[in-house]
Amino acid sequence: MLSFQSSKNLLSLTEDLLVRIYELLAAESDRKSFRLVCREFRRIDTLTRRHLRVIRIEFLPILLRKYPRLQSLDLSACPRIDDGVVSLLLTRVGPGSNSPILGHWAWGLKSLVLSRATGLRFSGLEMLARACPCLESVDVSYCCGFGDREAAALSSAVGLRELNMDKCLQLTDVGLAKIAVGCSKLEKLSLKWCMEMTDLGIDLLCKKCVDLKYLDVSYLKVTNESLHSIASLLKLEVLGLMACPLIDDVGLHFIERGCPSLKVIDVSRCEGVSSSGLIFVVRGHRNLLELKAGYCLSQELSTALLHQMKNLNHLEVIRIDGARISETSFQVISANCKSLVEIGLSKCLGVTNMGIMRLVSACINLRVLNLTCCHSITDAAISAIAYSCRSLVCLKVESCNMITEKGLCQLGSFCLLLEEIDLTDCCGVNDKGLEYLSRCSELSCLKLGLCTNISNKGLSYIGFNCLKIHELDLYRCTGIGDDGLEALSNGCKKLRKLNLSYCNEVSDRGLGYIGRLEELSDLEMRALHKITGVGLEAVAVGCKRLADLDMKHCEKVGDSGFWALAYYSKNLRQINLSYCGISDMALCMVMGNLSRLQEAKLVHLSNCTVEGVELALRACCVRIKKVKLFAPLRFMLSSEILEILHARGCIIRWD
Amino acid sequence: MLSSKNSALESKDNEIFEVEESIAIQSELIKTMATMVNSKAYVNERNQMGCWKQANYHVEQNNKIVDEELSDWESKFFEVDMDDLHELFMAANYLEIESLLNGVAKRVADIIKACMNVEVIRQTFGINNDFAAQQEEEIRKLNSWNHI
């Protein structure tokens, strides 16, 4: 099979053929190998790369120089990006005048993700907007300090189609006006939590950006007047109004005759909205695809609303969490909304087995079903769901404690596409039930919190069969111990998120098995009284991608574990060490060495002195963003360190 | 040299192939050349046979959209040594048969995926490492920092 004739090797193929091969290598590890083979292959990699997500800011200039044809750049994982860095990237770099211009990477750039880049300010943004003439999509969400000047900087990107400014807390109507005037081609805009927005800003936006298809004003204190303005958007398809306190039925009346293209509306948690308001929406939009009205209907769905809903034949998603459901509601929905793919009935009153059975026998294409806290549901309903809805992907039945292994047996037999199931607080789940459930080999998210009747045996079935699991919640599953974790680590190699809090039987041996899970990034292990430094060391050494660690109340863990953490866990971003026995030195090492640490909870460290905590805070003050400290320390720490932290934008919470 | 149903194609080695027209036009080149007079395609015999076999298979499959995994038939078809694979690739490129190009490219990509490391890739395809030590080191360093 091997041939070494150099005249006929792969390199004699033309460039487009090599590009064809390269594009079929989807996995990043394969592309990395490809890059290393020879110069020609590296050149192909360079030419073809369109998307880049950078984690280490030190490599940014080199990478940008290498990849001149980028279309999409994601810098959200580089927390220290600031105006100085941007300036560096866009201008000549290097001692001589022969150095290449770095800025040409920006010429073709279409998409820029700068989420959480809190160090960036308007001058940096302005440079970026000017340097990238093809820019179409920008994400500056969670840049909490961003305001009107930043918005003005962004408005110079006239080709902008998509903009995400969630949680840009300082943004006001003035800034929004600049964007509305400058970026008139805007199609998608998200302004969640931009609390300074008022009706004036929304009104101007709707007058200027007539091509808007997607608008999210959730949580804003806008009034019905905004809905009057929004109603004029002829192309609007998706409208987000979640938890808007000042919106009510009167405002929704404007939507009835407006927004002719509306397909998706979310009025969850709007206290002023009732059945009447929903009637207006439904009456005007028979082609509605998604209706999300969770936690706003405290009474029953009125007969008038149900009557209107008979016309929603294309409805795919309905969420009426927290409402009171009657038999009539089930009848109307099952008779008329057969295209439903997602149904949300979390915390609804009146959900019965009969109702569910009627619903699922009609909605056979159901993929997502949320029955959290529908306590009357039993195995009969689960069986009906399993039998009718073979395409089911996500099932949430938290607190439905009458479900037993009989229901899970049906799920394991029929719903083989199931990926996510939430069985938190379902005390009827036992090892037999897990054996049946493990037949769903596509499972990727499994929540078994508070299921006290499961043991290592049940977990071993999961470890054997459910190899695609990403997330596993075993909160307070006191029957789980080291043997269960052994089975888990053997099979579930893709596990990323694991919760073992209060699983008291877990010891260092169990953590040794956890150390084998190379993909693990999120680990919660509160109050594990048997583990010591040895166990923590195993996790630190093995789980190289660990980013979030919560070990509150793990009092027996000694310094050897913390030293290992400080040395190995370079990807750690968040840590909770409250009530742990860490010493001053180890705390200083952890806070100082872990260069990506951004959030730390350090309440009640009994082995630490005030000076020790102060030193640790000084060691990390450059990059730490949020820290939680023991309340009495407020008066014991020097005012200097508190000022430094405050000046750096670090949020301190006192407990 | 086209008849109503079958087209007769002459290869470089002067072998004549009778190929059904619907299959022949899978090749963009033949399709174009059919309109020209006195045209000749320069592809050697063995690979032309292979190309038409592949094209035939695809027409039979009604030009289904090629999906991620190579089907069983195709896997066996591409189980040839590097030289042949290379020839097939060149032939498919010259004759411009899209489905065949995809198939061969996939096969090569699969071979690369199956290789344990870079050295094995180089050996399999007979490629020399033309990096300077420093360059190679730089790339390895960038690779190890997991940028995506």
Side-chain angles (χ1 to χ4, degrees):
Chain A
M1 174 99 178
L2 299 181
S3 162
F4 294 85
Q5 289 183 11
S6 53
S7 61
K8 288 189 181 174
N9 70 30
L10 216 54
L11 284 178
S12 59
L13 292 174
T14 56
E15 184 177 299
D16 58 305
L17 295 179
L18 287 173
V19 168
R20 209 181 256 267
I21 298 173
Y22 175 77
E23 280 173 351
L24 288 168
L25 294 171
E28 188 57 29
S29 50
D30 294 327
R31 289 190 173 191
K32 282 183 182 174
S33 305
F34 191 90
R35 222 177 276 155
L36 270 171
V37 171
C38 63
R39 281 193 189 173
E40 180 64 14
F41 280 25
R42 189 183 63 159
R43 201 177 69 85
I44 300 292
D45 172 62
T46 309
L47 284 177
T48 323
R49 184 166 284 276
R50 294 275 176 269
H51 171 76
L52 191 66
R53 178 174 180 265
V54 184
I55 295 181
R56 289 258 153 188
I57 199 172
E58 304 90 84
F59 292 123
L60 195 51
I62 306 171
L63 290 170
L64 292 177
R65 199 168 34 217
K66 273 181 180 315
Y67 297 117
R69 304 238 182 118
L70 284 179
Q71 283 184 351
S72 148
L73 182 61
D74 183 340
L75 297 173
S76 55
C78 289
R80 279 177 288 162
I81 190 148
D82 60 20
D83 293 354
V85 173
V86 172
S87 168
L88 208 66
L89 295 175
L90 291 173
T91 56
R92 280 186 194 277
V93 168
S97 56
N98 292 328
S99 323
I101 306 175
L102 282 184
H104 67 250
W105 58 265
W107 295 343
L109 203 67
K110 285 189 182 166
S111 160
L112 196 53
V113 178
L114 295 166
S115 180
R116 293 191 162 90
T118 45
L120 212 52
R121 275 291 176 271
F122 67 90
S123 48
L125 272 181
E126 200 160 356
M127 278 190 267
L128 280 168
R130 295 256 169 84
C132 308
C134 300
L135 207 54
E136 285 180 5
S137 166
V138 172
D139 180 349
V140 289
S141 57
Y142 295 92
C143 294
C144 301
F146 274 26
D148 295 338
R149 290 188 90 169
E150 283 74 27
L154 285 173
S155 67
S156 52
V158 290
L160 214 56
R161 300 250 158 103
E162 292 183 11
L163 180 57
N164 185 343
M165 293 192 78
D166 290 344
K167 254 208 168 150
C168 291
L169 299 173
Q170 317 283 347
L171 187 69
T172 73
D173 294 332
V174 176
L176 187 60
K178 296 223 168 87
I179 290 176
V181 170
C183 311
S184 53
K185 291 190 200 162
L186 213 55
E187 287 177 6
K188 185 169 168 179
L189 179 62
S190 188
L191 298 166
K192 291 200 284 215
W193 291 296
C194 296
M195 305 305 285
E196 304 287 321
M197 305 301 322
T198 73
D199 297 332
L200 280 164
I202 303 291
D203 187 49
L204 189 64
L205 178 71
C206 297
K207 289 202 169 84
K208 292 284 173 186
C209 298
V210 294
D211 290 333
L212 268 177
K213 285 190 190 159
Y214 178 114
L215 178 62
D216 195 341
V217 292
S218 298
Y219 304 96
L220 301 189
K221 292 201 175 84
V222 292
T223 73
N224 294 328
E225 280 308 308
S226 285
L227 284 180
H228 189 117
S229 314
I230 291 171
S232 66
L233 291 170
L234 298 174
K235 297 192 188 172
L236 195 69
E237 292 176 16
V238 178
L239 177 57
L241 295 166
M242 204 157 93
C244 291
L246 303 174
I247 299 279
D248 60 30
D249 295 341
V250 174
L252 289 180
H253 193 36
F254 293 126
I255 299 290
E256 179 180 357
R257 295 279 164 86
C259 298
S261 310
L262 197 67
K263 296 207 170 83
V264 174
I265 186 164
D266 188 348
V267 289
S268 304
R269 296 188 194 274
C270 287
E271 294 163 349
V273 170
S274 71
S275 281
S276 323
L278 291 182
I279 291 174
F280 293 135
V281 174
V282 173
R283 201 159 61 190
H285 302 95
R286 293 190 176 187
N287 289 330
L288 205 63
L289 288 180
E290 297 185 23
L291 177 62
K292 297 178 191 172
Y295 304 106
C296 59
L297 297 167
S298 48
Q299 297 128 3
E300 252 182 48
L301 295 147
S302 67
T303 353
L305 175 59
L306 285 173
H307 182 70
Q308 288 301 325
M309 281 177 68
K310 285 186 192 160
N311 294 320
L312 292 178
N313 307 115
H314 302 284
L315 199 65
E316 288 176 8
V317 173
I318 184 165
R319 287 192 203 157
I320 37 177
D321 311 296
R324 197 184 296 256
I325 310 276
S326 60
E327 274 306 310
T328 339
S329 314
F330 283 121
Q331 272 169 21
V332 167
I333 297 176
S334 51
N336 297 290
C337 309
K338 299 197 196 223
S339 311
L340 277 171
V341 158
E342 178 179 331
I343 299 178
L345 299 170
S346 166
K347 302 197 179 138
C348 283
L349 299 168
V351 176
T352 59
N353 277 342
M354 277 297 293
I356 294 296
M357 291 199 274
R358 190 189 287 271
L359 199 59
V360 298
S361 57
C363 304
I364 52 175
N365 294 320
L366 211 56
R367 307 224 347 249
V368 178
L369 181 57
N370 188 345
L371 298 171
T372 303
C373 293
C374 294
H375 302 289
S376 321
I377 294 297
T378 71
D379 290 329
I382 302 294
S383 305
I385 293 168
Y387 194 74
S388 300
C389 308
R390 307 283 169 106
S391 313
L392 199 66
V393 163
C394 169
L395 179 64
K396 296 188 185 176
V397 285
E398 182 181 334
S399 291
C400 297
N401 22 35
M402 290 201 264
I403 298 179
T404 71
E405 66 272 15
K406 295 199 196 77
L408 294 177
C409 176
Q410 300 286 37
L411 280 176
S413 307
F414 297 114
C415 295
L416 299 171
L417 298 175
L418 198 64
E419 289 174 22
E420 188 181 330
I421 183 162
D422 187 346
L423 291 161
T424 307
D425 202 20
C426 291
C427 47
V429 175
N430 54 21
D431 291 339
K432 200 77 185 140
L434 285 185
E435 182 184 354
Y436 292 134
L437 191 61
S438 67
R439 288 187 208 154
C440 300
S441 51
E442 296 290 318
L443 263 183
S444 83
C445 173
L446 176 58
K447 296 195 180 163
L448 295 166
L450 295 166
C451 292
T452 40
N453 287 327
I454 61 170
S455 74
N456 291 326
K457 187 155 167 250
L459 199 58
S460 62
Y461 290 120
I462 301 291
F464 202 69
N465 287 319
C466 300
L467 307 178
K468 297 192 183 181
I469 289 234
H470 280 174
E471 186 177 333
L472 182 59
D473 186 348
L474 296 167
Y475 177 80
R476 286 195 196 266
C477 293
T478 42
I480 300 292
D482 296 336
D483 293 332
L485 294 178
E486 181 179 5
L488 200 65
S489 67
N490 279 339
C492 303
K493 301 277 184 201
K494 298 193 184 172
L495 198 59
R496 285 199 223 135
K497 192 167 164 173
L498 178 61
N499 188 339
L500 290 171
S501 295
Y502 301 96
C503 295
N504 304 314
E505 295 300 312
V506 173
S507 73
D508 288 335
R509 184 166 73 92
L511 288 192
Y513 296 124
I514 301 288
R516 289 201 217 151
L517 297 169
E518 292 179 357
E519 299 286 318
L520 197 66
S521 69
D522 212 305
L523 178 60
E524 192 178 316
M525 46 182 218
R526 292 189 176 192
L528 294 183
H529 296 298
K530 288 191 183 176
I531 63 165
T532 71
V534 175
L536 185 58
E537 190 174 340
V539 171
V541 172
C543 303
K544 298 194 172 68
R545 293 196 183 210
L546 199 61
D548 205 319
L549 177 62
D550 186 342
M551 41 184 296
K552 186 173 176 179
H553 284 299
C554 289
E555 283 151 13
K556 293 234 173 65
V557 176
D559 274 358
S560 63
F562 297 115
W563 285 102
L565 206 63
Y567 188 74
Y568 290 106
S569 302
K570 292 292 184 192
N571 283 320
L572 214 53
R573 263 181 275 131
Q574 282 189 60
I575 194 164
N576 188 341
L577 295 169
S578 302
Y579 295 90
C580 287
I582 192 171
S583 68
D584 283 337
M585 277 292 276
L587 183 66
C588 197
M589 284 301 286
V590 167
M591 300 300 281
N593 245 22
L594 296 177
S595 55
R596 293 184 68 194
L597 199 61
Q598 290 180 39
E599 233 178 277
K601 292 185 183 155
L602 307 169
V603 177
H604 212 291
L605 302 172
S606 47
N607 278 349
C608 284
T609 63
V610 179
E611 292 79 27
V613 174
E614 176 138 357
L615 201 62
L617 288 174
R618 273 182 204 272
C620 68
C621 63
V622 181
R623 57 192 127 69
I624 200 90
K625 292 200 171 150
K626 262 196 207 167
V627 69
K628 196 170 182 188
L629 299 168
F630 194 33
L633 284 178
R634 194 171 197 168
F635 309 105
M636 296 200 250
L637 288 170
S638 72
S639 53
E640 194 193 331
I641 184 66
L642 295 178
E643 265 165 40
I644 295 177
L645 287 172
H646 190 70
R648 293 259 170 191
C650 172
I651 303 172
I652 309 178
R653 292 210 307 274
W654 303 100
D655 193 349
Chain B
M1 281 165 67
L2 291 173
S3 60
S4 52
K5 277 285 179 188
N6 290 341
S7 29
L9 300 161
E10 191 179 325
S11 82
K12 195 159 124 188
D13 320 18
N14 293 330
E15 285 268 341
I16 307 239
F17 286 92
E18 285 262 341
V19 184
E20 210 180 281
E21 197 173 311
S22 57
I23 302 174
I25 56 168
Q26 284 243 328
S27 160
E28 293 294 323
L29 185 69
I30 305 288
K31 204 157 106 182
T32 327
M33 283 168 103
T35 59
M36 291 152 44
V37 194
N38 280 339
S39 47
K40 281 189 178 171
Y42 289 99
V43 186
N44 85 29
E45 173 250 313
R46 209 152 56 101
N47 282 307
Q48 221 190 89
M49 193 60 183
C51 287
W52 295 131
K53 255 198 227 156
Q54 230 277 359
N56 189 26
Y57 171 69
H58 267 282
V59 171
E60 278 171 9
Q61 300 289 314
N62 285 330
N63 293 325
K64 267 197 297 224
I65 299 166
V66 191
D67 61 12
E68 311 238 311
E69 304 297 327
L70 289 175
S71 71
D72 284 334
W73 185 93
E74 282 182 303
S75 311
K76 289 196 204 85
F77 181 72
F78 290 122
E79 199 92 352
V80 293
D81 69 16
M82 282 297 133
D83 278 349
D84 281 346
L85 206 58
H86 188 266
E87 287 284 343
L88 210 52
F89 217 157
M90 302 290 263
N93 190 33
Y94 184 67
L95 290 169
E96 295 173 42
I97 304 176
E98 184 62 26
S99 52
L100 186 56
L101 272 176
N102 274 337
V104 181
K106 252 187 241 159
R107 172 77 185 127
V108 176
D110 286 345
I111 296 175
I112 295 178
K113 278 182 210 172
C115 290
M116 299 300 295
N117 59 39
V118 181
E119 204 39 61
V120 178
I121 300 178
R122 288 189 191 129
Q123 276 174 7
T124 313
F125 294 105
I127 300 172
N128 286 328
N129 179 4
D130 57 356
F131 282 123
Q134 193 198 18
Q135 279 176 320
E136 194 173 339
E137 189 47 46
E138 193 190 329
I139 303 177
R140 278 189 197 277
K141 197 164 139 195
L142 281 178
N143 276 354
S144 75
W145 281 115
N146 256 334
H147 68 268
I148 301 162

